[in-house]
Amino acid sequence: HVMVEKPVDLDINSALTIADKVKGAKTNVSVAFNRRFDPNFAALKQAFDQGEIGKGELLSITSFDPAPPPVSYIQVSGGLFRDMAIHDFDMACWIFGAAPVAVTAVGSSIVDPAIGAAGDVDTAVITLHFADGRIAVIKNSRRAVYGYDQRIELLGSTGLLQAGNVLENTVNKITTAGATSAKPEYFFLERYMKAYEVEWRAFIAAIEAGSAYPVTLQDGVNALAVAEAAGLSWKTGKTVQLQNGRPVVGN
């Protein structure tokens, strides 16, 4: 049984070849999208699936790192869209239960010029267009000095669902000078420690039960296709269509 880190590959054609080769295998082949297992995000997804806000219409995902990684990492990671935003692409597909049909992305390097010199961006906004008109907007930054900022907001036809940051503690101080609370957890290991635990237990439970793992290899391929489309959109300045699992730049 296999659990592979994201992305499945840095190239969508290679990822599609991998998916074809393991098709019909009797083992679990899983992609480690740990954020699906975060208790807060999972509760939002459950509430949405149970119809508590009607039809989902507009999804907003905020994902800011506290500080950029070394440029040496940027050069081999596949870039922001494949390495960082790919988590958010998977979250959008998971929450809406479908892959987008088109992707529009803008990005710049304003945090660290060396990231731009390496051919990447450190600040981006990506819009995912779904076949039925639903929209997901993803905001990414490599620098949020106050901590690891991870939030989701989903507007539906009959209400709103929000999942906020996990804070360092739950103490609020309220005085005549104003009100303050703790900052968000600073790094992904602290923020998603519970998610990693739940993810691993789900993987083992699927093996023991002989059942399918909740995050499939195809999920990983779908997220990579969105990442490649976002990269193409940023480079070309055009909205990129997704056709048969591959990004296609229009005229």
Side-chain angles (χ1 to χ4, degrees), residues 78-102:
L80 181 143
F81 298 117
R82 291 182 181 86
D83 169 61
M84 179 182 178
I86 197 167
H87 279 292
D88 307 306
F89 300 149
D90 177 67
M91 289 294 292
C93 294
W94 174 57
I95 290 172
F96 273 164
V101 295

Side-chain angles (χ1 to χ4, degrees), residues 90-192:
D90 177 67
M91 289 294 292
C93 294
W94 174 57
I95 290 172
F96 273 164
V101 295
V103 179
T104 308
V106 294
S108 59
S109 180
I110 55 178
V111 173
D112 184 354
I115 292 177
D120 195 18
V121 299
D122 53 40
T123 307
V125 176
I126 308 106
T127 303
L128 308 185
H129 314 264
F130 290 79
D132 60 358
R134 292 178 296 176
I135 298 170
V137 178
I138 295 165
K139 298 176 291 180
N140 292 125
S141 174
R142 291 288 194 183
R143 181 179 64 194
V145 296
Y146 51 86
Y148 196 50
D149 194 344
Q150 304 282 295
R151 289 171 281 134
I152 293 179
E153 181 179 88
L154 176 58
L155 178 65
S157 57
T158 62
L160 178 77
L161 290 169
Q162 291 178 318
N165 281 311
V166 174
L167 305 182
E168 292 175 340
N169 60 66
T170 60
V171 176
N172 291 317
K173 181 178 73 175
I174 304 173
T175 70
T176 55
T180 60
S181 64
K183 301 189 299 296
E185 293 275 14
Y186 188 74
F187 201 44
F188 75 92
L189 289 177
E190 295 94 330
R191 170 60 180 82
Y192 287 116

Side-chain angles (χ1 to χ4, degrees), residues 23-86:
K23 192 176 297 181
K26 296 180 180 180
T27 57
N28 279 300
V29 181
S30 316
V31 181
F33 283 126
N34 65 291
R35 297 185 188 183
R36 293 191 184 200
F37 300 91
D38 173 76
N40 298 302
F41 295 162
L44 182 147
K45 166 69 170 170
Q46 183 179 32
F48 175 51
D49 287 348
Q50 291 176 346
E52 294 185 15
I53 60 164
K55 179 185 177 182
E57 298 171 347
L58 180 60
L59 175 65
S60 177
I61 300 176
T62 298
S63 182
F64 300 159
D65 284 354
V71 174
S72 58
Y73 174 80
I74 296 288
Q75 292 170 336
V76 298
S77 70
L80 181 143
F81 298 117
R82 291 182 181 86
D83 169 61
M84 179 182 178
I86 197 167

